[in-house]
Each structure stands twice: as C-alpha cells, then as structure tokens.
C-alpha cells in the first residue's frame, strides 16, 4: 500500500520535518519513503510518500495527520493514495544525509567568509 501526504503551513520548512517524518517511517519499518520541501503559491509544503504493508501505512497515515515537529506551524494535511515510484528508505536516508552535510558545509563557509571580513 502507498500514500502521499501534503503538509502545508506557515512554517513547515527548516523545522526538521523531513527528519521527523523519516524517523516515523523507520520506527514503523516502512521500506520505501521519500519527503521533499516545496513552495506552492507562496506556502511552504512538505510532500511525503511512503510504501509498506497495510498496517504500517495506516499507522503512518495517523501519525502524519496528528504529529508534527515542535516549531512547525501547519495549516493543512491532506493524505491520498499514491501509485508512483518511491525510493527505498535507505536510499532516501543517504540522500538526506548528503543534503544536511552539504548545507552544514555551506553554512561554515559563510561563517568563515564573515569572520574574514570583520578581522
């Protein structure tokens, strides 16, 4: 069984939502998972897809609808069936880790450049 959820709100980016959702998927043993930040008509959106057995997806559906990271400000959660391709949770985890490390390195570079300008 597969699902696609769309989480929309004033603040759903930069609050750890992708990692939060990945942790939920891992806890439930979901083997296929992906989540992405998007902007749609000026609103922040998190799109998440998951594939697993019926019980896993039912539990994931309930958690996505009822839980969120502490600093998130969510206005709407829509969940629907999905029939597209979803990468393995392992592949997604590795991709997300690369993205996080890259973002961290860029932040460190900005700090170093700023330090050089004030020295």
């Amino acid at each position: 069984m597969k699902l696609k959820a769309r989480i929309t709100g004033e603040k759903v980016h930069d609050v750890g939502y992708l990692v939060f959702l990945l942790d939920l998927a891992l806890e439930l043993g979901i083997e296929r998972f992906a989540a992405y930040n998007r902007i749609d008509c000026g609103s922040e959106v998190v799109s998440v897809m998951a594939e697993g057995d019926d019980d896993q997806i039912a539990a994931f559906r309930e958690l996505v609808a009822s839980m969120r990271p502490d600093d998130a400000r969510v206005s709407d959660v829509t969940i629907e069936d999905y029939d597209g391709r979803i990468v393995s949770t392992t592949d997604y985890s590795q991709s997300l880790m690369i993205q996080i490390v890259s973002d961290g390195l860029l932040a460190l570079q900005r700090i170093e450049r700023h330090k050089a300008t004030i020295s």
Side-chain angles (χ1 to χ4, degrees), residues 103-119:
D103 290 348
L105 290 173
L106 291 172
L108 289 173
Q109 289 173 341
R110 284 192 301 273
I111 291 168
E112 287 300 317
R113 283 194 301 273
H114 179 69
K115 282 173 43 180
T117 63
I118 61 173
S119 295

Side-chain angles (χ1 to χ4, degrees), residues 3-8 46 48 61 64-65 76-80:
L3 69 70
K4 180 177 184 178
R6 178 182 164 97
I7 303 160
T8 306
V46 174
V48 58
R61 177 185 299 262
V64 168
D76 188 44
V77 177
T78 58
I79 302 172
E80 59 189 38

Side-chain angles (χ1 to χ4, degrees), residues 7-28:
I7 303 160
T8 306
E10 180 182 334
K11 187 68 176 165
V12 296
H13 295 176
D14 301 321
V15 293
Y17 230 126
L18 303 183
V19 173
F20 175 82
L21 293 167
L22 175 60
D23 283 344
L24 293 178
L26 290 169
E27 286 178 25
L28 294 169

Side-chain angles (χ1 to χ4, degrees), residues 67-112:
M67 296 180 65
R68 51 195 43 105
D70 290 337
D71 294 331
R73 291 190 301 274
V74 175
S75 57
D76 188 44
V77 177
T78 58
I79 302 172
E80 59 189 38
D81 291 337
Y82 183 69
D83 64 358
R85 181 180 177 277
I86 305 171
V87 299
S88 74
T89 303
T90 302
D91 287 348
Y92 177 80
S93 297
Q94 291 173 346
S95 176
L96 183 60
M97 182 59 66
I98 291 167
Q99 179 183 341
I100 290 168
V101 168
S102 177
D103 290 348
L105 290 173
L106 291 172
L108 289 173
Q109 289 173 341
R110 284 192 301 273
I111 291 168
E112 287 300 317

